[in-house]
Amino acid sequence: MRFNPCDVCLSPGNGKHFGVDACRGCTAFFRRTIVNKRNYSCSEDDTCEIEKSEGLLCKKCRFEKCLKVGMKKESIQKHRDIYGRRNPENRALIISPSTSQLQVTIPITLLSSVKRNYAELENVREIVHRMDGFSMFLKPAPRGQTYKETYRLLLREFYLVSDWVSNCFPLFKELPNSQKDILLRNFYLTFYNLEAGFFACQHNKIDVWFLPNGNFIDCQNLEAFYYDPHNQQPMTSADAARLFKGTCTECKRNVLEPMLRENVTQFEFLALAALLLFDTGLEDQSDDCMDLCRNVRTLIQREMIQYYSNKHLDEYPLRMADVISLIPRVQKAAQKMQSDMEIGHLFNTYAAEKSFFENCMGKETSNEHNPSPRGGKFENEKENSVFLIIGTIIP
Amino acid sequence: MTPQSSPSSSRDHVCLVCQDFASGYHYGVPSCVGCKTFFRRTIMKKQKYICQFEGNCPVDKTIRCACRYCRFEKCLSVGMDRNALQQNRDPIGYTKRTRRPKKELKTTSDCSSDEGASTPPSVSPLQLSPPPISPLLFQAAPLKPRRCILQTLAEREKCANDLRLSEYLPIRSLHEALCSKALLNDTAFLEKWGQPSERHQIFDLRFVNHDDYHYWHERDWFLLTEYAKTFDVFEALDYQDKAELVRHAAITVPVLVQVWNSPDYGPDTIVFPDGAYFDRTPEPTRPAGLNRKKYQMLDLVLKPFRDLQLDATEFAAFKAVTFLNPDADISLPARKLVNNERVRITKQLYGYMAMKDDVDTAIERFARLVLMGTSMSKMACESKEAVWIADFFENIGFSAFARQLFFGDTTSVVAHKL
């Protein structure tokens, strides 16, 4: 078999390599330069004539000639072109790119629906959270919020998130109302923390806690958050900031920092939200509910695999492992937040309103004369919707 | 090999070291075959030379072999770059290509050819002193390649199970447990104690009682400390981080061990090695939190394990990843060490699964295993609260070792109770 001469040095060729006719020497030289990330310098004025040199090839000019005649860097196979000692540990990771693609593709229907509904949720948020005398066409600058404003926001958000969840997941709708409440209570504060992490990725900031209405909690200045101008609370702002700063510390350490480090995408954020909603092993969770959650989690997991496969990421199962491993950390931060809220409620200091505990957390208030029912949102208000919320807020 | 004849180019064709004809650019400067090989051999073998005179001997093509110290210094001064050596392309020793030139070069008496052979250099008539004595060389044997860590973990798991089924259970403090030698690495100890105890055989199944729970949890906590010490990254931590890492794993790792080693007597049954079993039957006398942990074991661990059909190697890797949890309350440097080791094992585990199955199945099984790990993390947090409550109301009589494991050093509490 006869090969064309090498396009780089005109030596006898060895067939096509990286897209051009090349000899074995120039082929190995080019691959070695790319894989080992070498940089060369020319002792002349970068005008060496490669084809006229015998044994005195200038490395820089040779490499430039390789690029000029059309050798492609992308053609080098990263996993097969390894230089140096062949470590047996690395052998297990040498997987050809062709085998990293899934053989069977599935449509990403569930998480696409979640994504569309999340866009709807954001639109509704602009309406619901901008009812305090602000223009609907002017976007106000973000500002730090106080605890009263935040608790009011949390209560409104609860209804929005409930509707969002019901619209995203038809399977969620089919559950009995009591099971829905169990899942939603387990989900809400966790989602609040998870979304704070997603906002941190969007704004590239971790020293403030961004909220769904665009404002933030200034974690560096918690006394402004616990602002009490009329001295209604039993302790000072400074004491409250000291007592409850664990919530911000945990959220920053377990949610904002790792999510920003991983640079979680919107799709990944929504997949994590779905996995957090359909949790298993909850107290009072029925067997049917647990089976349904297990099946939905498996489906979400498959759609995540398909998403990464479509993006052609290298070693995407490890990326998926990193993202899924964020789940216990978000749950830990939410647990700390709930614990602090219960402490505030117990000692009646900077506490949320009773309706928040009754609806969002399913806690019974200690009002013996007027015992409130323990039921949650779905049991008490079966016909709730966004339009009813807007109707009750407008007047 | 490049020809020794002078190439027709405008470049310098003289070796900058010895003024002989250059065969090309080597290590950044025009040099002859002898000098470039001398330079490479000096670097690769890490040789040190000593000059018998003042260190400024003349070096040219007639007497370049006389003083190797000055020759090497001149190689460096004219600009030879030691970083230009390619470790994997410049071996020292005989290869297929250098075997034949060695035989041919023996027949010649040219001074430059002596450098190509391993015979000692001859003294030039111009030099009246003996040649310098080169230090004795010990070329290091090539490092034995590191064994795949998954294989190590699988073998370790087998030793741990042998020790679990034996009757060895020392009485000691947590500090003694974590600072003593690792028993799982002691082959003499394992030969002596690695025999299964007669008690640990299943003759009949019987429903579990309080003493069974106590017995097997004590054994599994003892084994957890021995398992921890087999990790180099664990040995590198200070005591506080060690205790915290083990404390964090005190719920999850025993759960994994109990579920994995339980023979299959049905989808909702976990059997200890002595035949004691529990299933979904309510146990009213037991604290509610620990009962909840029982159901979580059945729902979140046993069922996925059976569905995934893990093999011994996959289980060993998953157990290691569960143990090396950087979310424990350890210091920041310790967290980085633990996380790096965890990532390394996770990569190995995925590679192993990818080789074992087709890609679709491997990725799905890997993802389900990762997701199961998150459920175990949450179960551990809830069970820790249950343990605190159980101890507060004195529902369970913890041993001194278990109390130190879960609550830290409480010598004063023990003294107070006494």
Side-chain angles (χ1 to χ4, degrees):
Chain A
M1 184 187 296
R2 291 194 174 277
F3 298 111
N4 292 327
C6 178
D7 288 342
V8 179
C9 66
L10 306 185
S11 301
N14 185 248
K16 281 201 182 292
H17 295 279
F18 310 125
V20 305
D21 293 306
C23 63
R24 290 176 64 118
C26 293
T27 299
F29 168 78
F30 181 76
R31 177 172 58 231
R32 195 166 53 245
T33 303
I34 299 294
V35 171
N36 292 339
K37 299 182 174 63
R38 290 174 177 266
N39 291 304
Y40 301 124
S41 59
C42 181
S43 54
E44 303 288 327
D45 52 351
D46 288 344
T47 57
C48 304
E49 296 183 339
I50 301 299
E51 59 273 12
K52 294 188 178 180
S53 305
E54 293 184 16
L56 282 173
L57 301 180
C58 173
K59 288 191 176 68
K60 183 165 195 290
C61 297
R62 189 186 191 186
F63 184 62
E64 293 297 320
K65 186 81 182 286
C66 291
L67 294 176
K68 195 170 77 173
V69 301
M71 282 194 178
K72 293 194 280 286
K73 299 182 184 182
E74 308 87 51
S75 297
I76 295 173
Q77 303 191 45
K78 191 165 87 174
H79 297 292
R80 293 174 66 192
D81 295 322
I82 293 174
Y83 278 92
R85 180 182 294 274
R86 302 249 167 182
N87 194 335
E89 284 189 14
N90 290 331
R91 196 166 294 157
L93 290 177
I94 299 174
I95 302 164
S96 297
S98 59
T99 65
S100 292
Q101 302 306 313
L102 290 174
Q103 310 303 315
V104 179
T105 59
I106 61 167
I108 305 175
T109 50
L110 182 60
L111 290 175
S112 296
S113 164
V114 176
K115 184 175 179 177
R116 282 195 309 272
N117 279 279
Y118 186 69
E120 294 286 334
L121 173 65
E122 289 186 313
N123 289 335
V124 173
R125 275 171 169 166
E126 293 208 356
I127 298 171
V128 169
H129 295 315
R130 222 179 296 281
M131 278 297 158
D132 306 88
F134 286 93
S135 169
M136 286 190 45
F137 301 98
L138 288 177
K139 185 155 189 166
R143 60 176 179 84
Q145 278 196 175
T146 64
Y147 73 102
K148 280 189 174 178
E149 294 166 326
T150 304
Y151 286 146
R152 204 177 302 130
L153 165 77
L154 275 174
L155 191 52
R156 287 179 185 170
E157 272 288 309
F158 183 73
Y159 296 108
L160 298 185
V161 169
S162 306
D163 279 323
W164 174 61
V165 158
S166 296
N167 288 329
C168 284
F169 305 104
L171 292 174
F172 183 83
K173 261 182 190 171
E174 296 172 9
L175 287 167
N177 284 338
S178 60
Q179 297 296 309
K180 282 188 205 172
D181 288 324
I182 289 169
L183 292 186
L184 191 61
R185 275 178 207 136
N186 177 69
F187 172 71
Y188 180 56
L189 287 185
T190 315
F191 175 72
Y192 178 68
N193 279 263
L194 178 72
E195 199 173 29
F198 179 57
F199 290 149
C201 292
Q202 287 184 318
H203 295 90
N204 199 25
K205 282 183 177 175
I206 58 172
D207 53 338
V208 292
W209 182 326
F210 280 100
L211 300 168
N213 61 356
N215 293 330
F216 56 84
I217 297 169
D218 191 350
C219 297
Q220 312 279 42
N221 186 18
L222 280 177
E223 293 188 29
F225 178 75
Y226 294 107
Y227 180 56
D228 184 30
H230 306 301
N231 286 319
Q232 296 170 329
Q233 300 293 338
M235 65 170 68
T236 65
S237 302
D239 290 338
R242 230 184 334 266
L243 180 64
F244 296 123
K245 79 174 181 181
T247 295
C248 279
T249 305
E250 282 291 310
C251 183
K252 179 176 177 180
R253 182 177 116 160
N254 282 317
V255 183
L256 306 187
E257 276 178 7
M259 281 183 76
L260 186 57
R261 190 189 319 124
E262 299 288 342
N263 203 16
V264 173
T265 64
Q266 192 198 42
F267 184 93
E268 287 165 333
F269 154 67
L270 295 172
L272 289 176
L275 291 171
L276 285 165
L277 173 66
F278 294 96
D279 207 349
T280 51
L282 302 176
E283 204 165 355
D284 297 327
Q285 191 176 16
S286 67
D287 288 342
D288 290 340
C289 180
M290 206 175 301
D291 284 341
L292 184 143
C293 289
R294 201 175 285 125
N295 290 335
V296 173
R297 280 160 78 94
T298 302
L299 178 57
I300 292 160
Q301 181 188 286
R302 287 206 185 107
E303 294 198 0
M304 283 182 87
I305 293 172
Q306 188 62 56
Y307 164 81
Y308 289 118
S309 177
N310 294 345
K311 289 182 76 176
H312 302 288
L313 292 179
D314 274 344
E315 297 179 357
Y316 62 83
L318 299 176
R319 164 70 183 182
M320 183 169 53
D322 289 336
V323 169
I324 289 181
S325 297
L326 295 168
I327 288 177
R329 305 188 75 166
V330 177
Q331 286 169 330
K332 193 175 177 183
Q335 198 178 24
K336 175 63 175 171
M337 181 178 181
Q338 177 164 335
S339 173
D340 277 354
M341 293 177 102
E342 286 172 355
I343 288 174
H345 181 69
L346 181 64
F347 295 106
N348 196 24
T349 174
Y350 294 92
E353 294 169 353
K354 288 181 183 176
S355 54
F356 179 81
F357 284 97
E358 288 166 8
N359 289 298
C360 302
M361 298 167 70
K363 304 292 179 178
E364 295 179 9
T365 55
S366 59
N367 193 338
E368 295 179 2
H369 296 287
N370 296 313
S372 57
R374 197 186 181 278
K377 170 186 180 298
F378 292 98
E379 285 194 357
N380 288 340
E381 308 173 59
K382 298 189 175 181
E383 299 299 331
N384 210 329
S385 72
V386 175
F387 305 101
L388 286 182
I389 292 175
I390 296 176
T392 57
I393 288 171
I394 286 178
Chain B
M1 184 176 292
T2 52
Q4 289 200 13
S5 62
S6 172
S8 62
S9 72
S10 61
R11 294 172 179 269
D12 298 329
H13 56 275
V14 173
C15 177
L16 296 189
V17 180
C18 67
Q19 288 83 52
D20 201 352
F21 287 117
S23 61
Y25 270 72
H26 303 287
Y27 312 121
V29 307
S31 51
C32 63
V33 173
C35 289
K36 69 111 170 171
T37 305
F38 166 79
F39 181 78
R40 183 184 78 219
R41 188 170 51 247
T42 304
I43 300 294
M44 295 298 289
K45 293 192 173 183
K46 301 181 174 60
Q47 283 181 291
K48 304 290 182 186
Y49 303 126
I50 300 171
C51 180
Q52 300 295 306
F53 302 100
E54 295 85 26
N56 53 1
C57 303
V59 179
D60 57 36
K61 65 181 176 180
T62 58
I63 55 174
R64 66 191 174 204
C65 310
C67 181
R68 289 186 281 185
Y69 174 87
C70 294
R71 188 185 189 188
F72 185 65
E73 289 300 310
K74 190 162 185 188
C75 291
L76 294 176
S77 67
V78 300
M80 280 195 176
D81 181 14
R82 66 175 67 230
N83 295 318
L85 266 79
Q86 306 192 41
Q87 300 284 325
N88 48 321
R89 292 179 81 209
D90 290 327
I92 294 296
Y94 295 117
T95 61
K96 289 182 178 179
R97 299 189 179 189
T98 57
R99 191 158 302 163
R100 187 206 298 168
K102 171 177 180 297
K103 295 178 181 178
E104 290 181 353
L105 289 174
K106 273 187 175 178
T107 61
T108 65
S109 61
D110 188 10
C111 182
S112 62
S113 64
D114 285 342
E115 282 304 314
S118 62
T119 54
S122 64
V123 179
S124 169
L126 296 181
Q127 297 292 333
L128 302 178
S129 64
I133 302 170
S134 59
L136 191 59
L137 294 178
F138 295 99
Q139 185 173 359
L143 290 175
K144 183 186 289 186
R146 301 173 70 185
R147 302 166 73 213
C148 179
I149 192 169
L150 295 193
Q151 189 180 350
T152 305
L153 290 171
E155 290 171 6
R156 191 181 295 170
E157 188 58 34
K158 185 180 179 306
C159 294
N161 196 50
D162 289 343
L163 191 54
R164 184 173 187 252
L165 296 179
S166 75
E167 59 188 14
Y168 184 81
L169 182 64
I171 299 178
R172 56 188 183 179
S173 70
L174 181 67
H175 190 276
E176 286 164 1
L178 293 183
C179 296
S180 60
K181 188 176 58 174
L183 298 178
L184 292 180
N185 293 338
D186 191 346
T187 52
F189 172 86
L190 290 175
E191 281 179 10
K192 181 183 177 186
W193 287 99
Q195 318 307 320
S197 167
E198 286 184 10
R199 169 173 177 167
H200 303 154
Q201 292 179 40
I202 300 177
F203 300 104
D204 289 305
L205 292 192
R206 54 187 176 80
F207 195 75
V208 77
N209 59 43
H210 172 79
D211 290 334
D212 293 313
Y213 281 124
H214 183 84
Y215 179 80
W216 283 105
H217 279 88
E218 290 289 330
R219 292 206 64 80
D220 286 330
W221 289 327
F222 152 65
L223 276 153
L224 172 62
T225 58
E226 294 305 320
Y227 177 75
K229 290 184 289 187
T230 59
F231 288 92
D232 293 335
V233 66
F234 184 84
E235 291 296 291
L237 308 179
D238 61 22
Y239 175 75
Q240 204 58 42
D241 288 327
K242 283 180 179 178
E244 202 57 53
L245 193 63
V246 167
R247 180 170 300 125
H248 196 84
I251 300 285
T252 48
V253 169
V255 160
L256 280 182
V257 170
Q258 288 163 18
V259 167
W260 171 255
N261 289 294
S262 170
D264 192 345
Y265 281 89
D268 278 322
T269 307
I270 288 176
V271 184
F272 290 108
D274 58 357
Y277 76 93
F278 63 86
D279 50 17
R280 291 193 171 273
T281 306
E283 298 177 56
T285 60
R286 212 169 170 228
L290 298 184
N291 261 335
R292 177 166 163 68
K293 178 202 168 195
K294 177 175 89 165
Y295 294 124
Q296 284 177 323
M297 276 179 78
L298 298 172
D299 292 325
L300 305 183
V301 186
L302 181 69
K303 188 172 167 55
F305 261 22
R306 297 275 167 84
D307 291 344
L308 280 167
Q309 300 278 309
L310 296 178
D311 68 19
T313 303
E314 289 164 345
F315 168 74
F318 182 65
K319 181 182 166 186
V321 166
T322 302
F323 168 70
L324 298 166
N325 194 337
D327 290 338
D329 288 333
I330 51 183
S331 62
L332 195 58
R335 183 168 302 169
K336 287 178 180 172
L337 286 176
V338 168
N339 191 59
N340 287 343
E341 185 70 5
R342 188 195 218 200
V343 166
R344 196 164 77 100
I345 295 172
T346 305
K347 283 190 171 188
Q348 298 278 323
L349 173 56
Y350 171 65
Y352 175 85
M353 287 169 128
M355 284 195 301
K356 191 182 145 189
D357 291 307
D358 65 277
V359 173
D360 292 14
T361 306
I363 295 171
E364 184 152 338
R365 289 176 80 245
F366 180 72
R368 289 181 68 184
L369 204 56
V370 170
L371 199 54
M372 202 182 84
T374 64
S375 299
M376 293 198 60
S377 285
K378 199 180 72 147
M379 188 181 79
C381 286
E382 296 179 5
S383 295
K384 198 163 293 183
E385 282 185 20
V387 164
W388 274 88
I389 291 170
D391 182 66
F392 183 79
F393 291 106
E394 295 187 0
N395 287 328
I396 292 180
F398 284 110
S399 69
F401 175 80
R403 177 164 280 104
Q404 289 157 25
L405 178 64
F406 279 107
F407 311 115
D409 197 358
T410 54
T411 312
S412 58
V413 177
V414 175
H416 175 71
K417 289 191 174 181
L418 290 176

